[in-house]
Amino acid sequence: MGREVKISKTAEIKLEKLFDYLLENWSEKVKANFIKN
């Protein structure tokens, strides 16, 4: 049975900004590894 993770709107916005930063300054692979970990 999996767990459901709920994030706040603020956390969602911060994650989007972080993902944008990773894409702009690093690469898609770095972003994917960050999300996986």
Side-chain angles (χ1 to χ4, degrees):
M1 181 185 284
R3 293 185 181 183
E4 184 176 322
V5 176
K6 294 184 181 184
I7 58 173
S8 69
K9 203 62 164 163
T10 302
E12 186 177 337
I13 292 168
K14 288 183 178 185
L15 280 173
E16 284 296 324
K17 288 181 180 181
L18 176 59
F19 294 159
D20 290 343
Y21 172 82
L22 291 175
L23 280 176
E24 288 177 18
N25 296 290
W26 295 91
S27 68
E28 182 68 33
K29 184 177 178 183
V30 171
K31 177 186 170 191
N33 285 338
F34 178 83
I35 293 170
K36 186 172 78 172
N37 290 327

